[in-house]
């Protein structure tokens, strides 16, 4: 069997089925780790919860909305924007986060009255915002607060506002992907079809599964406009609440992140007959093929080809320059969701880097299928790794760089492996032809950074002592072990093992002008 067992996880034998090494000639069914299952107790998973998937990933990129979490303030603070979801309304959704700030007394007596008061206060504080989303958390789901009833009561009193309720407690599903499903289906059932837009254009699309990380949506929207295509709504990066209520009026759903938003596209196809096309905004060839696919649907292939020719001629020489310098550099591709397979093949083919590992924390079997199919033999695929497994993988594979989130990235830096933020980017946007070159530049800068090379130098055994002349050294020069240590065999043996500990518990001789204090050992 192709399963890979981590040394650090031998005490949890179930983990063996969650990692595989892609062997020669193996079929996907032979090389698939188990995924999207309940977290194994004791593994110390780093997954996000369903509430995080609903609010942080999908909900809050909506730009003209008060996003209010009904629960403890910690849930809200943990999902305050770190992914740089930009918008053209002065980034309102990035600047502010809202919480009902639930306390213990609300768990006992209920928090519906407090929630209503908070909703009204939020609308009064920002009178130009007339839309709100309320997110349920574990605490309020457990006590049974009726968020829909409270929201309806407010809308009856304030007829110019509209409120969407997402019942997305953290325990709803194995990971944050459960929250993706929850908010997509809730939005479709409660809000799609409740607003009629005034929209002109021969070709109208919904751009779905795009979150405008550092301006990705702006790049893709420009390509669509150059092709004569009108973007009816973007779900949800730089997306307007009312535009997203009008998703039923598009001719085509163009889907970017299938893992987070395919549920919505499938429902729109069933009820309104809107077709779905999956695209990829990353990489020269995948992006070009995607634009041609959308153009083919509307019969305007020549417009897409013109963009492809112009952009490729402008940016191919720069990409080739980076590819020559990144050839055969090893990368651990640990981005989490759909970027696992969006990037796996094209960073190898177009940048020359070798993918030695892929992982996902919340992806489904389909994500692993596509990801493993696009990497080379010998790549290590992991489902829901913890910190120890990540460290062991990096020490074994010795990658030149990893693409991952901030938490695993900071761990990688501690063992001198540079990382790029696959979730929020370093210097984005990374979509489009120029964005792909910008991505290559970020990889090059990370690998060849002189500062990173300096981090690998060990100066602890420098020939020049670093303690000479310091006041602390003088203070410690004339000290004796306390009588307590001398008379305590166990403590004396302990301090003999650690010189630094022994120094810390030594006490200097007191000056004659200061009081004599008893110092505990």
């Amino acid at each position: 069997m192709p399963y890979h067992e981590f040394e650090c996880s031998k005490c949890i034998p179930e983990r063996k089925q969650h990692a595989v090494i892609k062997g020669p000639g193996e079929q996907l069914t032979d090389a698939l780790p188990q995924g999207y299952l309940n977290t194994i107790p004791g593994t110390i998973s780093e997954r996000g919860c369903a509430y995080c998937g609903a609010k942080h990933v999908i909900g809050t990129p909506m730009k003209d909305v008060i996003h209010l979490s009904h629960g403890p303030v910690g849930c809200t603070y943990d999902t305050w924007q770190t992914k740089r979801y930009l918008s053209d309304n002065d980034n309102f959704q990035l600047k502010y986060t809202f919480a009902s700030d639930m306390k213990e007394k609300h768990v006992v007596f209920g928090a519906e009255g407090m929630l209503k008061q908070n909703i009204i206060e939020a609308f009064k504080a920002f009178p130009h915002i007339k839309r709100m989303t309320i997110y349920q958390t574990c605490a309020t789901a457990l006590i049974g607060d009726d968020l829909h009833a409270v929201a309806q009561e407010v809308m009856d009193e304030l007829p110019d506002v509209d409120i969407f309720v997402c019942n997305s407690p953290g325990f709803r599903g194995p990971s944050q992907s459960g929250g993706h499903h929850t908010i997509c289906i809730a939005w479709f059932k409660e809000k799609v079809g409740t607003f009629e837009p005034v929209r002109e254009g021969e070709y109208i699309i919904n751009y779905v599964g795009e979150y405008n990380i550092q301006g990705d949506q702006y790049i893709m929207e420009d390509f669509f406009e150059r092709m004569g295509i009108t973007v009816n709504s973007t779900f949800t990066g730089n997306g307007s609440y009312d535009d997203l209520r009008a998703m039923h009026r598009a001719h085509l759903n163009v889907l970017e992140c299938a893992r987070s938003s395919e549920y919505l596209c499938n429902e729109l196809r069933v009820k309104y007959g809107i077709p779905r096309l999956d695209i990829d905004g990353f990489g020269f060839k995948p992006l070009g093929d995607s634009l041609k696919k959308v153009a083919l649907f509307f019969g305007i292939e020549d417009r897409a080809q013109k963009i492809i020719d112009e952009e490729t001629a402008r940016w191919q020489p720069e990409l080739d320059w980076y590819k020559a310098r990144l050839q055969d550099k090893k990368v651990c591709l640990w981005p989490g969701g759909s970027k696992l397979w969006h990037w796996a093949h094209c960073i190898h083919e177009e940048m020359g880097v070798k993918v030695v590992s892929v992982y996902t924390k919340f992806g489904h079997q389909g994500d692993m299928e596509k990801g493993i199919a696009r990497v080379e033999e010998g790549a290590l695929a992991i489902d829901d790794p913890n910190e120890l497994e990540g460290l062991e993988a990096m020490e074994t594979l010795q990658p030149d760089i990893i693409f991952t989130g901030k938490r695993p990235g900071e761990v990688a830096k501690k063992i001198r492996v540079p990382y790029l933020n696959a979730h929020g980017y370093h210097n984005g946007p990374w979509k489009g032809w120029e964005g792909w070159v910008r991505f290559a530049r970020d990889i090059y800068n990370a690998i060849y950074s002189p500062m990173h090379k300096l981090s690998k130098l060990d100066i602890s055994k420098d020939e020049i002592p670093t303690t000479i002349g310091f006041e602390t050294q003088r203070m410690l020069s004339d000290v004796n072990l306390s009588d307590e240590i001398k008379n305590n065999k166990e403590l004396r043996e302990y301090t003999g093992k650690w010189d630094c500990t022994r120094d810390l518990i030594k006490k200097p001789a007191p000056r004659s002008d200061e009081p004599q204090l008893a110092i505990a050992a």
Side-chain angles (χ1 to χ4, degrees), residues 449-512:
S449 166
M451 293 297 293
H452 173 66
K453 295 183 182 300
L454 284 174
S455 72
K456 297 183 179 181
L457 296 178
D458 182 4
I459 62 172
S460 63
K461 298 179 177 61
D462 199 305
E463 294 181 0
I464 302 174
T466 58
T467 57
I468 293 177
F470 285 91
E471 180 68 12
T472 346
Q473 183 69 20
R474 185 191 66 77
M475 293 171 61
L476 295 174
S477 61
D478 185 23
V479 294
N480 297 302
L481 286 175
S482 67
D483 293 337
E484 290 88 346
I485 295 176
K486 290 180 180 179
N487 298 328
N488 188 319
K489 180 182 177 182
E490 182 180 349
L491 189 56
R492 186 168 65 250
E493 292 176 352
Y494 175 76
T495 56
K497 296 177 183 178
W498 303 95
D499 291 338
C500 59
T501 307
R502 182 166 54 204
D503 286 343
L504 287 174
I505 59 178
K506 290 176 182 179
K507 60 179 182 180
R511 298 200 310 267
S512 59

Side-chain angles (χ1 to χ4, degrees), residues 120-164:
I120 295 173
E121 287 180 358
F123 279 126
K124 286 182 177 179
F126 298 92
H128 63 292
I129 302 294
K130 300 297 184 182
R131 303 292 181 257
M132 175 181 288
T133 296
I134 305 175
Y135 302 91
Q136 189 181 49
T137 61
C138 293
T140 50
L142 289 170
I143 67 174
D145 277 357
D146 191 340
L147 276 61
H148 285 89
V150 176
Q152 188 59 55
E153 190 175 337
V154 174
M155 286 190 287
D156 291 340
E157 296 178 11
L158 304 174
D160 60 337
V161 307
D162 197 271
I163 301 174
F164 167 61

Side-chain angles (χ1 to χ4, degrees), residues 95-216:
K95 293 181 177 180
Y96 303 100
T97 189
F98 302 82
S100 58
D101 193 18
M102 186 178 188
K103 305 293 186 184
E104 289 86 346
K105 64 179 180 180
H106 302 121
V107 175
V108 177
F109 300 108
E112 292 180 0
M114 175 190 66
L115 174 61
K116 179 181 178 181
Q117 179 181 352
N118 287 346
I119 295 172
I120 295 173
E121 287 180 358
F123 279 126
K124 286 182 177 179
F126 298 92
H128 63 292
I129 302 294
K130 300 297 184 182
R131 303 292 181 257
M132 175 181 288
T133 296
I134 305 175
Y135 302 91
Q136 189 181 49
T137 61
C138 293
T140 50
L142 289 170
I143 67 174
D145 277 357
D146 191 340
L147 276 61
H148 285 89
V150 176
Q152 188 59 55
E153 190 175 337
V154 174
M155 286 190 287
D156 291 340
E157 296 178 11
L158 304 174
D160 60 337
V161 307
D162 197 271
I163 301 174
F164 167 61
V165 174
C166 180
N167 291 314
S168 53
F171 53 73
R172 186 168 186 167
S175 71
Q176 69 183 59
S177 187
H180 302 162
H181 180 270
T182 300
I183 192 171
C184 282
I185 299 304
W187 184 264
F188 173 79
K189 289 182 176 179
E190 296 181 24
K191 295 303 175 184
V192 172
T194 62
F195 183 79
E196 290 299 330
V198 179
R199 195 79 68 212
E200 296 181 358
E202 189 176 359
Y203 316 115
I204 302 176
I205 66 170
N206 293 319
Y207 189 19
V208 185
E210 164 55 50
Y211 304 106
N212 202 30
I213 300 174
Q214 282 206 7
D216 275 348

Side-chain angles (χ1 to χ4, degrees), residues 273-288:
I274 305 174
R276 159 189 165 182
L277 282 180
D278 292 24
I279 69 164
D280 191 341
F282 300 101
F284 282 20
K285 187 177 187 305
L287 174 56

